[in-house]
């Protein structure tokens, strides 16, 4: 995923995995991929020249359980010491000039931290301004027998990934970075959704096309998720459509709207990918039966 940008910037991109690390481990693949993706894209983004590397080192084992240290290292711009504690906060960027030069939303590391907490791990960083950075975490995981495919965990005759692909979904999210993460997750699940950047766009798209599932951010400019859902529910064919609200804070107002049926359910951001995947799978299964 990162080779083309690295090549464009003439960066070396390397990976090293200790030979004692098993080829298959049991963990949440989606979360681990997302974490490594976030760290690697930052490393490539914030490194004007030199090298980016991914290392997985063995930190011992007990029976089938391996302790591994993952690290993403770069020779980039580094992070000033007084900023190192805040980079994991939502919307923080080490330097306001970073935004102008490198773009970004300041959410990636906050999400990464949260993801790793879900796996019982903690992200750490060592960095020197002008020299480079090393983001690392340890993970304990058992050796796996063989890769578990989605189909193996689904009851026979239920939705298969190819049928899931067919769900007509709409992703409504104003924040480009959040949209990107959701899009990445969806594409990892072999799905592709139409997109809208605010509530009004969502209503306009729903007028033109019958969606079976809408993932709807709540706080958005132009028209928020509440108004958008109300207007969409009034459109023909949308009375029972699954509308999943995505929000960072679960207020009483949102709970009330789930009870009233405006939203089918709520997922708290940063949501748990596996839970969301399970729900989308169920909705796709139901929609495809109809
Ligand atoms: P974004 O990259 O969208 O700004 P992140 O949460 O991923 O948001 O990162 C927050 C900030 O941390 C970045 O804006 C940057 O200042 C700093 N940062 C993250 N990774 C690196 C890195 N590898 N090298 C230097 N600075 C970094």
């Amino acid at each position: 995923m990162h080779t083309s940008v690295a090549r464009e910037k003439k960066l070396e991109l390397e990976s090293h995995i200790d030979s004692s690390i098993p080829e298959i481990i049991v963990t949440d693949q989606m979360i681990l991929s997302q974490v490594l993706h976030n760290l690697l894209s930052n490393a490539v983004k914030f490194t004007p020249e030199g090298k980016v590397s991914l290392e997985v080192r063995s930190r011992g084992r007990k029976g089938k359980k391996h302790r591994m240290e993952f690290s993403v290292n770069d020779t980039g711009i580094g992070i000033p010491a007084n900023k190192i504690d805040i980079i994991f906060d939502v919307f923080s960027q080490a330097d306001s000039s970073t935004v102008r030069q490198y773009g970004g939303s300041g959410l990636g590391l906050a999400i990464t931290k949260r993801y790793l907490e879900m796996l019982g791990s903690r992200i750490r960083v060592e960095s020197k301004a002008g020299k480079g950075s090393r983001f690392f975490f340890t993970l304990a995981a058992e050796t796996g027998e063989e890769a578990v495919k989605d189909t193996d965990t689904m009851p026979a005759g239920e939705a298969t990934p190819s049928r899931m692909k067919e769900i007509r979904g709409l992703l409504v999210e104003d924040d480009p970075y959040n949209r990107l993460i959701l899009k990445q997750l969806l594409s990892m699940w072999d799905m592709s959704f139409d997109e809208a950047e605010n509530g009004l766009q969502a209503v306009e798209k729903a007028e033109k096309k019958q969606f079976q599932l809408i993932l709807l951010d709540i706080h958005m400019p132009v028209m928020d998720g509440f108004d958008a859902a109300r207007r969409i529910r009034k459109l023909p064919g949308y009375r029972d459509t699954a509308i999943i609200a995505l929000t960072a804070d679960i207020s009483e107002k949102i709970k009330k709207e789930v009870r009233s049926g405006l939203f089918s359910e709520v997922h708290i951001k940063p949501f748990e990918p596996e839970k969301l995947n399970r729900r989308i799978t169920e909705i796709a299964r139901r929609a495809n039966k109809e």
Side-chain angles (χ1 to χ4, degrees), residues 138-154:
T138 51
L139 199 67
E142 289 198 358
T143 316
E145 303 282 308
E146 58 179 302
V148 180
K149 294 200 189 76
D150 285 349
T151 38
D152 295 347
T153 52
M154 278 179 205

Side-chain angles (χ1 to χ4, degrees), residues 38-47 72-74 76-80 83 86-96 98-99 102-112 125 127 132-135 177:
N38 289 352
L39 295 178
L40 283 165
S41 53
N42 273 349
V44 170
K45 180 158 90 171
F46 294 111
T47 303
V72 173
N73 316 288
D74 68 60
I77 61 171
I79 301 156
K83 293 286 160 61
I86 62 153
I87 55 169
F88 297 103
D89 298 344
V90 176
F91 300 126
S92 71
Q93 295 179 313
D95 179 348
S96 54
T98 308
V99 187
Y102 297 95
S105 69
L107 265 177
L109 286 178
I111 289 175
T112 299
V125 59
S127 184
S133 314
R134 173 172 122 88
F135 285 84
Y177 197 79

